[in-house]
Amino acid sequence: MNIVCIGSGNVATHLAIAFKAMGAEIIQVWSSDSRNAEILAALTKAKPFRRWEELDRSADCYVIAVKDDAIASVASHLKGVKGIVLHTSGATPIEMLSGAGSGYGVLYPLQTFSKTKAVDLTKVPFCIEGNNPETLEKIAVIAQLLSANVSVVSTEQRMILHLAAVFASNFSNHLYHLSGQLLEQHELKFDLLRPLILETAQKVQSSLPIDVQTGPAVRNDQQTMEKHLDLLKNSPELQQLYQSLSNSIKKSHL
Amino acid sequence: MNIVCIGSGNVATHLAIAFKAMGAEIIQVWSSDSRNAEILAALTKAKPFRRWEELDRSADCYVIAVKDDAIASVASHLKGVKGIVLHTSGATPIEMLSGAGSGYGVLYPLQTFSKTKAVDLTKVPFCIEGNNPETLEKIAVIAQLLSANVSVVSTEQRMILHLAAVFASNFSNHLYHLSGQLLEQHELKFDLLRPLILETAQKVQSSLPIDVQTGPAVRNDQQTMEKHLDLLKNSPELQQLYQSLSNSIKKSHL
Protein backbone atom coordinates (compact mmCIF):
# COMPACT_ATOMS: atom_id res chain seq x y z
CA MET A 1 0.00 0.00 0.00
CA ASN A 2 1.32 3.46 -0.99
CA ILE A 3 0.40 6.29 1.34
CA VAL A 4 0.80 10.05 1.04
CA CYS A 5 1.02 11.64 4.47
CA ILE A 6 -0.31 15.17 4.62
CA GLY A 7 0.89 16.89 7.76
CA SER A 8 3.92 16.50 9.98
CA GLY A 9 2.66 17.10 13.53
CA ASN A 10 2.27 14.59 16.35
CA VAL A 11 -0.60 12.62 14.81
CA ALA A 12 0.96 12.56 11.33
CA THR A 13 4.28 11.40 12.77
CA HIS A 14 2.87 8.60 14.91
CA LEU A 15 0.62 7.33 12.11
CA ALA A 16 3.24 7.50 9.35
CA ILE A 17 5.83 5.65 11.43
CA ALA A 18 3.29 2.98 12.40
CA PHE A 19 2.11 2.52 8.80
CA LYS A 20 5.72 2.19 7.69
CA ALA A 21 6.38 -0.38 10.44
CA MET A 22 3.41 -2.41 9.19
CA GLY A 23 4.86 -2.64 5.71
CA ALA A 24 3.03 0.21 3.99
CA GLU A 25 5.10 2.59 1.92
CA ILE A 26 4.98 6.30 2.72
CA ILE A 27 5.73 7.77 -0.68
CA GLN A 28 5.34 11.48 0.10
CA VAL A 29 5.04 13.78 3.08
CA TRP A 30 3.47 17.21 2.67
CA SER A 31 3.80 19.98 5.21
CA SER A 32 3.33 23.72 5.14
CA ASP A 33 6.59 23.78 7.11
CA SER A 34 9.30 22.34 4.90
CA ARG A 35 11.63 21.49 7.78
CA ASN A 36 9.04 19.32 9.54
CA ALA A 37 8.19 17.62 6.25
CA GLU A 38 11.86 16.83 5.76
CA ILE A 39 12.22 15.33 9.24
CA LEU A 40 9.18 13.07 8.90
CA ALA A 41 10.10 12.17 5.32
CA ALA A 42 13.57 11.13 6.50
CA LEU A 43 12.09 9.01 9.28
CA THR A 44 9.80 7.19 6.85
CA LYS A 45 12.03 7.23 3.73
CA ALA A 46 9.45 9.31 1.90
CA LYS A 47 9.82 12.32 -0.38
CA PRO A 48 8.93 15.66 1.22
CA PHE A 49 7.03 18.23 -0.84
CA ARG A 50 5.38 21.59 -0.39
CA ARG A 51 3.98 22.56 -3.80
CA TRP A 52 0.74 20.77 -4.59
CA GLU A 53 1.77 20.37 -8.24
CA GLU A 54 4.26 17.78 -6.96
CA LEU A 55 1.54 15.62 -5.34
CA ASP A 56 1.67 11.99 -6.45
CA ARG A 57 -1.93 11.48 -7.59
CA SER A 58 -1.64 7.69 -7.91
CA ALA A 59 -1.28 6.71 -4.21
CA ASP A 60 -3.63 4.17 -2.63
CA CYS A 61 -4.37 6.39 0.33
CA TYR A 62 -4.00 10.02 1.43
CA VAL A 63 -3.91 10.55 5.18
CA ILE A 64 -4.64 14.15 6.20
CA ALA A 65 -3.35 14.99 9.69
CA VAL A 66 -3.29 18.78 9.76
CA LYS A 67 -5.02 21.36 11.95
CA ASP A 68 -8.81 21.14 11.68
CA ASP A 69 -9.16 24.49 9.96
CA ALA A 70 -6.69 23.48 7.24
CA ILE A 71 -8.51 20.28 6.21
CA ALA A 72 -10.85 21.95 3.70
CA SER A 73 -7.98 23.64 1.91
CA VAL A 74 -5.95 20.41 1.74
CA ALA A 75 -8.99 18.51 0.48
CA SER A 76 -9.42 20.99 -2.37
CA HIS A 77 -6.02 19.92 -3.68
CA LEU A 78 -6.95 16.24 -3.61
CA LYS A 79 -9.87 16.50 -6.07
CA GLY A 80 -9.84 13.61 -8.51
CA VAL A 81 -7.14 11.49 -6.89
CA LYS A 82 -7.60 7.75 -7.31
CA GLY A 83 -6.91 6.60 -3.76
CA ILE A 84 -8.92 6.89 -0.57
CA VAL A 85 -8.72 10.26 1.21
CA LEU A 86 -8.87 10.16 5.01
CA HIS A 87 -8.84 12.83 7.67
CA THR A 88 -7.90 12.05 11.26
CA SER A 89 -9.87 14.71 13.11
CA GLY A 90 -12.34 14.11 15.92
CA ALA A 91 -14.20 17.36 15.37
CA THR A 92 -14.54 17.48 11.57
CA PRO A 93 -17.53 16.05 9.66
CA ILE A 94 -16.84 13.49 6.95
CA GLU A 95 -18.46 15.80 4.39
CA MET A 96 -15.50 18.14 4.61
CA LEU A 97 -13.81 15.69 2.21
CA SER A 98 -16.64 15.25 -0.29
CA GLY A 99 -15.25 15.56 -3.79
CA ALA A 100 -11.73 14.59 -2.73
CA GLY A 101 -10.96 11.12 -4.02
CA SER A 102 -13.45 8.55 -5.25
CA GLY A 103 -13.73 7.23 -1.73
CA TYR A 104 -13.16 9.23 1.42
CA GLY A 105 -13.63 8.93 5.12
CA VAL A 106 -12.25 9.28 8.63
CA LEU A 107 -9.52 7.52 10.59
CA TYR A 108 -9.69 9.06 14.08
CA PRO A 109 -7.29 7.69 16.68
CA LEU A 110 -8.74 8.34 20.15
CA GLN A 111 -5.46 9.03 21.91
CA THR A 112 -3.25 11.90 23.03
CA PHE A 113 0.05 12.09 21.18
CA SER A 114 3.21 13.95 22.06
CA LYS A 115 6.33 14.07 19.95
CA THR A 116 8.57 12.79 22.70
CA LYS A 117 6.63 9.74 23.89
CA ALA A 118 6.04 6.57 21.89
CA VAL A 119 2.47 5.23 22.00
CA ASP A 120 1.55 1.62 21.35
CA LEU A 121 -0.98 2.21 18.55
CA THR A 122 -2.11 -1.43 18.49
CA LYS A 123 -4.30 -0.77 21.53
CA VAL A 124 -5.52 2.68 20.52
CA PRO A 125 -9.22 2.84 19.56
CA PHE A 126 -9.50 3.94 15.92
CA CYS A 127 -12.89 5.37 14.95
CA ILE A 128 -13.61 5.02 11.25
CA GLU A 129 -16.27 6.33 8.90
CA GLY A 130 -16.62 5.98 5.11
CA ASN A 131 -18.62 7.73 2.40
CA ASN A 132 -20.09 4.38 1.32
CA PRO A 133 -20.00 0.75 2.50
CA GLU A 134 -17.33 -0.26 -0.02
CA THR A 135 -15.00 2.55 1.05
CA LEU A 136 -15.72 1.83 4.71
CA GLU A 137 -14.55 -1.73 4.21
CA LYS A 138 -11.30 -0.52 2.69
CA ILE A 139 -10.81 1.95 5.54
CA ALA A 140 -11.34 -0.88 8.03
CA VAL A 141 -8.51 -2.82 6.38
CA ILE A 142 -6.26 0.24 6.56
CA ALA A 143 -7.15 0.89 10.22
CA GLN A 144 -6.54 -2.74 11.15
CA LEU A 145 -2.99 -2.39 9.91
CA LEU A 146 -2.46 -0.11 12.88
CA SER A 147 -4.75 -1.30 15.64
CA ALA A 148 -6.75 -4.25 16.89
CA ASN A 149 -9.34 -1.81 18.25
CA VAL A 150 -11.33 -0.41 15.30
CA SER A 151 -14.93 0.87 15.61
CA VAL A 152 -17.32 2.30 13.05
CA VAL A 153 -18.49 5.62 14.45
CA SER A 154 -20.77 8.22 12.83
CA THR A 155 -19.77 11.87 12.52
CA GLU A 156 -22.25 12.78 15.26
CA GLN A 157 -20.86 10.11 17.62
CA ARG A 158 -17.31 11.14 16.81
CA MET A 159 -18.06 14.74 17.84
CA ILE A 160 -19.27 13.41 21.19
CA LEU A 161 -16.18 11.23 21.59
CA HIS A 162 -13.99 14.23 20.89
CA LEU A 163 -15.87 16.27 23.48
CA ALA A 164 -15.72 13.43 26.01
CA ALA A 165 -11.97 13.16 25.40
CA VAL A 166 -11.61 16.83 26.36
CA PHE A 167 -13.18 16.05 29.74
CA ALA A 168 -11.34 12.78 30.29
CA SER A 169 -7.91 13.86 29.09
CA ASN A 170 -7.40 17.62 28.55
CA PHE A 171 -9.31 18.65 31.67
CA SER A 172 -7.80 15.89 33.83
CA ASN A 173 -4.33 16.93 32.75
CA HIS A 174 -5.16 20.48 33.74
CA LEU A 175 -6.29 19.28 37.17
CA TYR A 176 -2.91 17.55 37.50
CA HIS A 177 -1.34 20.91 36.72
CA LEU A 178 -3.44 22.80 39.26
CA SER A 179 -2.62 20.26 41.97
CA GLY A 180 1.06 20.51 41.08
CA GLN A 181 0.87 24.28 41.50
CA LEU A 182 -0.63 23.90 44.96
CA LEU A 183 2.28 21.67 45.89
CA GLU A 184 4.84 24.04 44.44
CA GLN A 185 3.47 26.93 46.51
CA HIS A 186 4.17 24.84 49.60
CA GLU A 187 7.60 23.51 48.63
CA LEU A 188 6.33 20.04 47.86
CA LYS A 189 7.33 18.06 44.79
CA PHE A 190 4.95 16.95 42.03
CA ASP A 191 6.55 13.50 42.38
CA LEU A 192 4.43 12.95 45.48
CA LEU A 193 1.27 12.96 43.35
CA ARG A 194 2.48 10.84 40.43
CA PRO A 195 1.65 7.39 41.86
CA LEU A 196 -1.82 8.61 42.86
CA ILE A 197 -2.52 9.98 39.38
CA LEU A 198 -1.46 6.72 37.76
CA GLU A 199 -3.46 4.54 40.15
CA THR A 200 -6.58 6.71 39.62
CA ALA A 201 -6.37 6.06 35.87
CA GLN A 202 -5.51 2.39 36.32
CA LYS A 203 -8.51 1.84 38.58
CA VAL A 204 -10.99 2.74 35.82
CA GLN A 205 -9.37 0.33 33.36
CA SER A 206 -11.43 -2.43 34.95
CA SER A 207 -14.06 -0.49 36.93
CA LEU A 208 -16.51 2.26 36.10
CA PRO A 209 -15.49 5.63 37.56
CA ILE A 210 -18.78 6.01 39.44
CA ASP A 211 -18.02 2.79 41.36
CA VAL A 212 -14.57 3.89 42.55
CA GLN A 213 -15.23 7.56 43.36
CA THR A 214 -13.56 8.55 46.62
CA GLY A 215 -12.99 11.82 48.48
CA PRO A 216 -14.91 14.25 50.68
CA ALA A 217 -17.64 15.14 48.15
CA VAL A 218 -18.90 11.60 47.63
CA ARG A 219 -18.87 11.04 51.42
CA ASN A 220 -20.59 14.42 51.83
CA ASP A 221 -17.89 15.24 54.39
CA GLN A 222 -18.76 18.92 54.94
CA GLN A 223 -16.04 19.53 57.49
CA THR A 224 -13.21 18.52 55.13
CA MET A 225 -14.73 20.42 52.19
CA GLU A 226 -14.92 23.57 54.33
CA LYS A 227 -11.29 23.14 55.38
CA HIS A 228 -10.32 22.78 51.72
CA LEU A 229 -12.25 25.87 50.67
CA ASP A 230 -10.56 27.77 53.47
CA LEU A 231 -7.12 26.64 52.25
CA LEU A 232 -8.09 28.03 48.83
CA LYS A 233 -9.31 31.38 50.13
CA ASN A 234 -6.61 33.25 48.18
CA SER A 235 -7.43 31.45 44.89
CA PRO A 236 -11.03 32.33 44.00
CA GLU A 237 -10.67 30.46 40.71
CA LEU A 238 -9.64 27.21 42.41
CA GLN A 239 -12.32 27.71 45.02
CA GLN A 240 -14.96 27.98 42.33
CA LEU A 241 -13.67 24.86 40.55
CA TYR A 242 -13.62 23.00 43.86
CA GLN A 243 -17.24 23.97 44.51
CA SER A 244 -18.51 23.13 41.03
CA LEU A 245 -16.76 19.77 40.84
CA SER A 246 -17.78 18.81 44.39
CA ASN A 247 -21.40 19.73 43.68
CA SER A 248 -21.29 17.72 40.48
CA ILE A 249 -19.93 14.68 42.35
CA LYS A 250 -22.67 15.01 44.98
CA LYS A 251 -25.35 15.20 42.28
CA SER A 252 -24.00 12.09 40.53
CA HIS A 253 -24.29 10.13 43.76
CA LEU A 254 -27.76 11.24 44.87
CA MET B 1 7.13 -5.43 65.92
CA ASN B 2 3.62 -5.83 67.39
CA ILE B 3 0.93 -3.66 65.87
CA VAL B 4 -2.66 -2.98 66.89
CA CYS B 5 -4.72 -2.02 63.86
CA ILE B 6 -7.61 0.31 64.65
CA GLY B 7 -10.06 0.35 61.78
CA SER B 8 -11.04 -2.15 59.11
CA GLY B 9 -11.71 -0.08 56.00
CA ASN B 10 -9.67 0.15 52.80
CA VAL B 11 -6.66 1.91 54.29
CA ALA B 12 -6.59 -0.28 57.41
CA THR B 13 -6.83 -3.43 55.30
CA HIS B 14 -4.07 -2.49 52.85
CA LEU B 15 -1.73 -1.35 55.63
CA ALA B 16 -2.33 -4.30 57.94
CA ILE B 17 -1.79 -6.84 55.18
CA ALA B 18 1.39 -5.08 54.05
CA PHE B 19 2.76 -4.87 57.63
CA LYS B 20 2.04 -8.55 58.09
CA ALA B 21 3.78 -9.38 54.81
CA MET B 22 6.85 -7.46 56.00
CA GLY B 23 7.12 -9.59 59.13
CA ALA B 24 5.32 -7.39 61.66
CA GLU B 25 2.73 -9.04 63.85
CA ILE B 26 -0.79 -7.64 63.86
CA ILE B 27 -1.90 -8.60 67.33
CA GLN B 28 -5.35 -6.98 67.42
CA VAL B 29 -7.86 -5.41 65.05
CA TRP B 30 -10.46 -3.00 66.39
CA SER B 31 -13.53 -1.97 64.46
CA SER B 32 -16.84 -0.41 65.37
CA ASP B 33 -18.29 -3.03 63.02
CA SER B 34 -17.50 -6.45 64.48
CA ARG B 35 -17.92 -8.29 61.17
CA ASN B 36 -15.29 -6.16 59.39
CA ALA B 37 -12.95 -6.55 62.34
CA GLU B 38 -13.34 -10.32 62.12
CA ILE B 39 -12.60 -10.38 58.38
CA LEU B 40 -9.44 -8.28 58.67
CA ALA B 41 -8.35 -10.14 61.82
CA ALA B 42 -8.72 -13.44 59.99
CA LEU B 43 -6.66 -12.13 57.05
CA THR B 44 -3.85 -11.04 59.36
CA LYS B 45 -4.16 -13.75 62.05
CA ALA B 46 -4.97 -11.08 64.64
CA LYS B 47 -7.55 -10.99 67.41
CA PRO B 48 -10.62 -8.84 66.69
CA PHE B 49 -12.06 -6.73 69.50
CA ARG B 50 -14.71 -4.07 69.99
CA ARG B 51 -14.66 -3.18 73.68
CA TRP B 52 -11.78 -0.88 74.58
CA GLU B 53 -11.20 -2.72 77.87
CA GLU B 54 -9.81 -5.53 75.71
CA LEU B 55 -7.13 -3.32 74.10
CA ASP B 56 -3.62 -4.74 74.41
CA ARG B 57 -1.78 -1.77 75.93
CA SER B 58 1.70 -3.23 75.41
CA ALA B 59 1.94 -3.11 71.57
CA ASP B 60 4.84 -1.35 69.84
CA CYS B 61 2.57 0.61 67.57
CA TYR B 62 -1.09 1.58 67.21
CA VAL B 63 -2.20 2.40 63.66
CA ILE B 64 -5.44 4.38 63.55
CA ALA B 65 -7.18 4.13 60.17
CA VAL B 66 -10.74 5.22 60.86
CA LYS B 67 -12.90 8.06 59.54
CA ASP B 68 -11.39 11.47 60.31
CA ASP B 69 -14.15 12.43 62.71
CA ALA B 70 -13.62 9.27 64.78
CA ILE B 71 -9.88 9.80 65.36
CA ALA B 72 -10.30 11.97 68.48
CA SER B 73 -12.53 9.44 70.17
CA VAL B 74 -10.17 6.55 69.35
CA ALA B 75 -7.21 8.57 70.63
CA SER B 76 -8.93 9.13 73.96
CA HIS B 77 -8.89 5.36 74.50
CA LEU B 78 -5.15 5.14 73.81
CA LYS B 79 -4.06 7.45 76.64
CA GLY B 80 -0.98 6.06 78.39
CA VAL B 81 -0.15 3.22 76.01
CA LYS B 82 3.53 2.45 75.72
CA GLY B 83 3.82 2.20 71.92
CA ILE B 84 3.74 4.82 69.21
CA VAL B 85 0.29 6.00 68.16
CA LEU B 86 -0.17 6.89 64.50
CA HIS B 87 -3.06 8.19 62.48
CA THR B 88 -3.18 7.84 58.69
CA SER B 89 -5.29 10.83 57.76
CA GLY B 90 -4.34 13.54 55.28
CA ALA B 91 -6.67 16.11 56.76
CA THR B 92 -6.10 15.69 60.50
CA PRO B 93 -3.47 17.66 62.48
CA ILE B 94 -0.91 15.70 64.47
CA GLU B 95 -2.13 17.39 67.66
CA MET B 96 -5.33 15.37 67.51
CA LEU B 97 -3.26 12.58 69.07
CA SER B 98 -1.53 14.58 71.80
CA GLY B 99 -1.74 12.66 75.05
CA ALA B 100 -2.16 9.30 73.31
CA GLY B 101 1.02 7.27 73.78
CA SER B 102 4.40 8.62 74.76
CA GLY B 103 5.22 9.16 71.12
CA TYR B 104 2.67 9.87 68.40
CA GLY B 105 2.55 10.97 64.82
CA VAL B 106 1.23 10.52 61.30
CA LEU B 107 1.68 7.85 58.63
CA TYR B 108 -0.23 9.18 55.61
CA PRO B 109 -0.15 7.07 52.43
CA LEU B 110 -0.81 9.33 49.43
CA GLN B 111 -2.80 6.84 47.40
CA THR B 112 -6.38 5.87 46.58
CA PHE B 113 -7.35 2.46 47.93
CA SER B 114 -10.26 0.26 47.00
CA LYS B 115 -11.12 -3.04 48.60
CA THR B 116 -11.05 -4.97 45.35
CA LYS B 117 -7.75 -3.82 43.86
CA ALA B 118 -4.30 -4.62 45.21
CA VAL B 119 -1.89 -1.68 45.34
CA ASP B 120 1.90 -2.01 45.37
CA LEU B 121 2.60 -0.08 48.57
CA THR B 122 6.36 -0.11 48.04
CA LYS B 123 6.01 2.76 45.55
CA VAL B 124 3.36 4.72 47.43
CA PRO B 125 4.59 8.01 48.95
CA PHE B 126 4.20 7.85 52.74
CA CYS B 127 4.14 11.24 54.46
CA ILE B 128 5.26 11.04 58.07
CA GLU B 129 5.26 13.43 61.01
CA GLY B 130 6.27 12.87 64.66
CA ASN B 131 5.72 14.73 67.92
CA ASN B 132 9.50 14.85 68.49
CA PRO B 133 12.68 13.92 66.59
CA GLU B 134 13.08 10.63 68.42
CA THR B 135 9.56 9.51 67.62
CA LEU B 136 9.91 10.73 64.04
CA GLU B 137 12.92 8.47 63.61
CA LYS B 138 10.94 5.48 64.87
CA ILE B 139 8.05 6.35 62.56
CA ALA B 140 10.49 6.51 59.63
CA VAL B 141 11.60 2.96 60.41
CA ILE B 142 7.97 1.80 60.54
CA ALA B 143 7.12 3.58 57.26
CA GLN B 144 10.17 2.13 55.52
CA LEU B 145 8.85 -1.34 56.28
CA LEU B 146 6.10 -0.55 53.78
CA SER B 147 7.56 1.81 51.20
CA ALA B 148 10.80 3.07 49.69
CA ASN B 149 9.16 6.47 49.25
CA VAL B 150 8.95 8.14 52.68
CA SER B 151 8.90 11.94 53.20
CA VAL B 152 8.76 14.07 56.31
CA VAL B 153 5.82 16.44 55.83
CA SER B 154 4.41 19.00 58.26
CA THR B 155 0.72 19.10 59.18
CA GLU B 156 0.29 22.24 57.08
CA GLN B 157 1.94 20.64 54.04
CA ARG B 158 -0.07 17.46 54.52
CA MET B 159 -3.33 19.47 54.39
CA ILE B 160 -2.18 20.89 51.04
CA LEU B 161 -1.25 17.44 49.75
CA HIS B 162 -4.65 16.15 50.73
CA LEU B 163 -6.33 19.04 48.94
CA ALA B 164 -4.11 18.58 45.87
CA ALA B 165 -5.01 14.89 45.85
CA VAL B 166 -8.69 15.84 45.63
CA PHE B 167 -7.95 17.78 42.43
CA ALA B 168 -5.59 15.19 40.94
CA SER B 169 -7.57 12.08 41.83
CA ASN B 170 -11.14 12.61 43.05
CA PHE B 171 -11.96 15.33 40.53
CA SER B 172 -10.19 13.56 37.65
CA ASN B 173 -12.13 10.41 38.39
CA HIS B 174 -15.34 12.45 38.30
CA LEU B 175 -14.35 13.87 34.89
CA TYR B 176 -13.91 10.26 33.71
CA HIS B 177 -17.45 9.63 34.92
CA LEU B 178 -18.88 12.69 33.18
CA SER B 179 -17.20 11.73 29.91
CA GLY B 180 -18.52 8.19 30.28
CA GLN B 181 -22.03 9.57 30.68
CA LEU B 182 -21.71 11.59 27.48
CA LEU B 183 -20.71 8.40 25.68
CA GLU B 184 -23.56 6.42 27.18
CA GLN B 185 -26.09 8.99 25.99
CA HIS B 186 -24.85 8.37 22.45
CA GLU B 187 -24.60 4.59 22.63
CA LEU B 188 -20.84 4.56 22.84
CA LYS B 189 -18.87 2.39 25.25
CA PHE B 190 -16.64 3.72 28.03
CA ASP B 191 -14.01 1.26 26.74
CA LEU B 192 -13.24 3.73 23.94
CA LEU B 193 -11.88 6.22 26.48
CA ARG B 194 -9.88 3.86 28.68
CA PRO B 195 -6.60 3.90 26.70
CA LEU B 196 -6.74 7.72 26.50
CA ILE B 197 -7.27 8.03 30.26
CA LEU B 198 -4.34 5.74 30.99
CA GLU B 199 -2.01 7.46 28.53
CA THR B 200 -2.90 10.89 29.96
CA ALA B 201 -1.82 9.72 33.42
CA GLN B 202 1.25 7.92 32.09
CA LYS B 203 2.42 11.02 30.25
CA VAL B 204 2.81 13.02 33.46
CA GLN B 205 4.89 10.30 35.10
CA SER B 206 7.91 11.72 33.29
CA SER B 207 6.66 15.16 32.16
CA LEU B 208 5.06 18.08 33.91
CA PRO B 209 1.35 18.45 33.06
CA ILE B 210 1.81 22.01 31.79
CA ASP B 211 4.26 20.75 29.16
CA VAL B 212 1.92 18.11 27.74
CA GLN B 213 -1.40 19.97 27.81
CA THR B 214 -3.37 19.39 24.61
CA GLY B 215 -6.90 20.23 23.42
CA PRO B 216 -8.83 23.21 22.08
CA ALA B 217 -8.39 25.48 25.12
CA VAL B 218 -4.59 25.49 25.08
CA ARG B 219 -4.65 26.09 21.30
CA ASN B 220 -7.28 28.79 21.85
CA ASP B 221 -9.33 27.04 19.16
CA GLN B 222 -12.54 29.08 19.54
CA GLN B 223 -14.40 27.24 16.78
CA THR B 224 -14.04 23.83 18.43
CA MET B 225 -14.87 25.19 21.88
CA GLU B 226 -18.06 26.75 20.50
CA LYS B 227 -19.01 23.46 18.84
CA HIS B 228 -18.46 21.67 22.16
CA LEU B 229 -20.54 24.18 24.11
CA ASP B 230 -23.29 23.75 21.55
CA LEU B 231 -23.20 19.96 21.97
CA LEU B 232 -23.66 20.55 25.71
CA LYS B 233 -26.59 22.95 25.34
CA ASN B 234 -28.92 20.58 27.21
CA SER B 235 -26.49 20.15 30.13
CA PRO B 236 -25.98 23.57 31.71
CA GLU B 237 -23.86 22.00 34.45
CA LEU B 238 -21.42 20.43 31.98
CA GLN B 239 -21.39 23.63 29.96
CA GLN B 240 -20.38 25.60 33.01
CA LEU B 241 -17.63 23.09 33.90
CA TYR B 242 -16.40 23.18 30.30
CA GLN B 243 -16.20 26.97 30.42
CA SER B 244 -14.48 27.18 33.80
CA LEU B 245 -11.90 24.51 33.02
CA SER B 246 -11.20 25.91 29.55
CA ASN B 247 -10.75 29.42 30.97
CA SER B 248 -8.44 28.04 33.63
CA ILE B 249 -6.33 26.28 30.98
CA LYS B 250 -6.13 29.46 28.91
CA LYS B 251 -5.01 31.45 31.96
CA SER B 252 -2.29 28.91 32.79
CA HIS B 253 -0.87 29.27 29.32
CA LEU B 254 -0.91 33.06 29.02
Side-chain angles (χ1 to χ4, degrees):
Chain A
M1 164 145 14
N2 293 335
I3 297 175
V4 171
C5 179
I6 297 164
S8 59
N10 292 341
V11 176
T13 302
H14 281 91
L15 292 185
I17 289 173
F19 272 125
K20 178 84 183 167
M22 292 313 294
E25 198 172 342
I26 311 297
I27 55 174
Q28 288 187 317
V29 173
W30 178 89
S31 170
S32 58
D33 173 331
S34 55
R35 193 155 165 270
N36 285 344
E38 275 164 24
I39 294 170
L40 181 53
L43 281 170
T44 55
K45 298 187 178 162
K47 261 182 71 180
F49 74 108
R50 251 187 93 185
R51 291 154 34 94
W52 287 106
E53 301 87 82
E54 297 168 29
L55 174 74
D56 187 329
R57 305 184 69 84
S58 68
D60 300 313
C61 181
Y62 298 80
V63 176
I64 305 174
V66 298
K67 285 190 180 151
D68 288 3
D69 54 12
I71 294 175
S73 145
V74 164
S76 72
H77 295 290
L78 300 180
K79 287 228 163 70
V81 297
K82 214 184 58 184
I84 290 179
V85 175
L86 300 173
H87 79 61
T88 55
S89 158
T92 307
I94 185 173
E95 290 82 37
M96 192 67 90
L97 300 179
S98 69
S102 54
Y104 57 88
V106 181
L107 178 75
Y108 170 51
L110 190 47
Q111 189 51 282
T112 171
F113 296 104
S114 35
K115 274 240 153 99
T116 52
K117 187 174 179 302
V119 171
D120 178 7
L121 284 187
T122 61
K123 287 169 187 164
V124 169
F126 275 77
C127 303
I128 61 169
E129 191 176 3
N131 68 318
N132 60 46
E134 209 186 317
T135 306
L136 182 61
E137 215 160 290
K138 288 182 192 163
I139 298 171
V141 172
I142 294 170
Q144 282 157 1
L145 277 180
L146 302 181
S147 172
N149 190 347
V150 175
S151 307
V152 178
V153 162
S154 69
T155 285
E156 194 209 0
Q157 286 178 314
R158 187 160 33 82
M159 305 286 151
I160 294 293
L161 272 174
H162 185 252
L163 170 60
V166 169
F167 277 88
S169 174
N170 305 156
F171 289 167
S172 291
N173 185 73
H174 184 59
L175 292 177
Y176 303 158
H177 167 64
L178 295 176
S179 59
Q181 279 196 308
L182 280 171
L183 262 53
E184 205 183 318
Q185 287 156 15
H186 294 80
E187 288 165 31
L188 291 159
K189 287 192 177 158
F190 185 62
D191 266 346
L192 284 167
L193 283 176
R194 285 187 159 124
L196 175 67
I197 287 171
L198 191 57
E199 174 68 14
T200 304
Q202 276 169 344
K203 257 185 176 179
V204 299
Q205 299 303 307
S206 50
S207 300
L208 285 176
I210 190 121
D211 296 329
V212 294
Q213 183 69 52
T214 55
V218 67
R219 292 195 307 269
N220 202 10
D221 176 349
Q222 289 300 335
Q223 215 185 323
T224 301
M225 288 189 279
E226 273 158 36
K227 267 193 232 172
H228 284 168
L229 288 169
D230 187 55
L231 287 170
L232 294 171
K233 59 176 179 285
N234 296 321
S235 322
E237 187 197 323
L238 289 189
Q239 242 185 2
Q240 190 244 310
L241 278 177
Y242 189 97
Q243 286 277 24
S244 314
L245 285 161
S246 295
N247 289 339
S248 179
I249 291 174
K250 284 190 250 175
K251 263 178 75 178
S252 295
H253 289 265
L254 280 183
Chain B
M1 164 145 13
N2 293 333
I3 296 174
V4 172
C5 178
I6 298 165
S8 59
N10 291 339
V11 176
T13 302
H14 281 91
L15 292 185
I17 290 172
F19 273 125
K20 178 85 184 168
M22 291 313 294
E25 197 171 343
I26 310 297
I27 55 174
Q28 288 188 316
V29 173
W30 177 88
S31 170
S32 60
D33 174 331
S34 55
R35 194 155 163 270
N36 285 344
E38 276 164 24
I39 294 169
L40 180 54
L43 281 170
T44 55
K45 297 188 178 159
K47 260 182 75 179
F49 74 107
R50 250 187 92 187
R51 291 155 31 96
W52 287 106
E53 303 86 82
E54 298 169 30
L55 174 73
D56 187 329
R57 305 184 70 83
S58 67
D60 301 311
C61 181
Y62 297 79
V63 177
I64 305 174
V66 298
K67 286 189 179 149
D68 288 1
D69 56 12
I71 294 175
S73 145
V74 165
S76 72
H77 295 291
L78 300 180
K79 287 228 163 73
V81 296
K82 212 184 57 182
I84 290 178
V85 176
L86 299 173
H87 79 61
T88 55
S89 158
T92 307
I94 185 174
E95 290 81 38
M96 192 68 91
L97 300 179
S98 69
S102 53
Y104 57 88
V106 181
L107 179 75
Y108 170 51
L110 190 48
Q111 190 49 285
T112 170
F113 296 103
S114 34
K115 274 242 154 96
T116 51
K117 186 170 178 308
V119 172
D120 178 7
L121 283 187
T122 61
K123 287 170 188 163
V124 169
F126 276 77
C127 303
I128 62 169
E129 191 178 3
N131 69 318
N132 60 46
E134 209 188 314
T135 306
L136 182 62
E137 214 159 290
K138 288 183 191 162
I139 297 171
V141 172
I142 294 170
Q144 281 157 1
L145 278 179
L146 302 180
S147 171
N149 190 347
V150 176
S151 308
V152 178
V153 161
S154 69
T155 285
E156 195 209 359
Q157 286 178 315
R158 187 159 35 80
M159 305 286 150
I160 294 293
L161 272 173
H162 186 253
L163 169 60
V166 169
F167 277 88
S169 174
N170 304 155
F171 289 167
S172 291
N173 185 73
H174 184 58
L175 292 177
Y176 305 159
H177 168 64
L178 294 176
S179 59
Q181 278 196 310
L182 280 171
L183 263 53
E184 205 183 318
Q185 287 156 14
H186 293 82
E187 287 164 33
L188 290 159
K189 286 192 179 160
F190 184 63
D191 266 346
L192 285 168
L193 285 176
R194 285 186 160 125
L196 174 67
I197 286 170
L198 191 57
E199 175 67 13
T200 303
Q202 275 169 344
K203 257 185 176 178
V204 299
Q205 299 304 307
S206 51
S207 300
L208 286 177
I210 190 117
D211 297 328
V212 294
Q213 183 68 53
T214 56
V218 69
R219 292 195 307 270
N220 204 10
D221 176 348
Q222 289 300 334
Q223 214 185 324
T224 301
M225 288 190 278
E226 272 158 34
K227 266 193 229 171
H228 284 167
L229 288 169
D230 187 56
L231 287 170
L232 294 172
K233 60 177 179 284
N234 297 322
S235 321
E237 188 197 321
L238 288 190
Q239 245 186 0
Q240 189 245 311
L241 278 177
Y242 188 97
Q243 285 277 27
S244 315
L245 286 162
S246 295
N247 289 340
S248 179
I249 290 174
K250 282 190 252 175
K251 264 179 72 177
S252 296
H253 288 265
L254 281 184

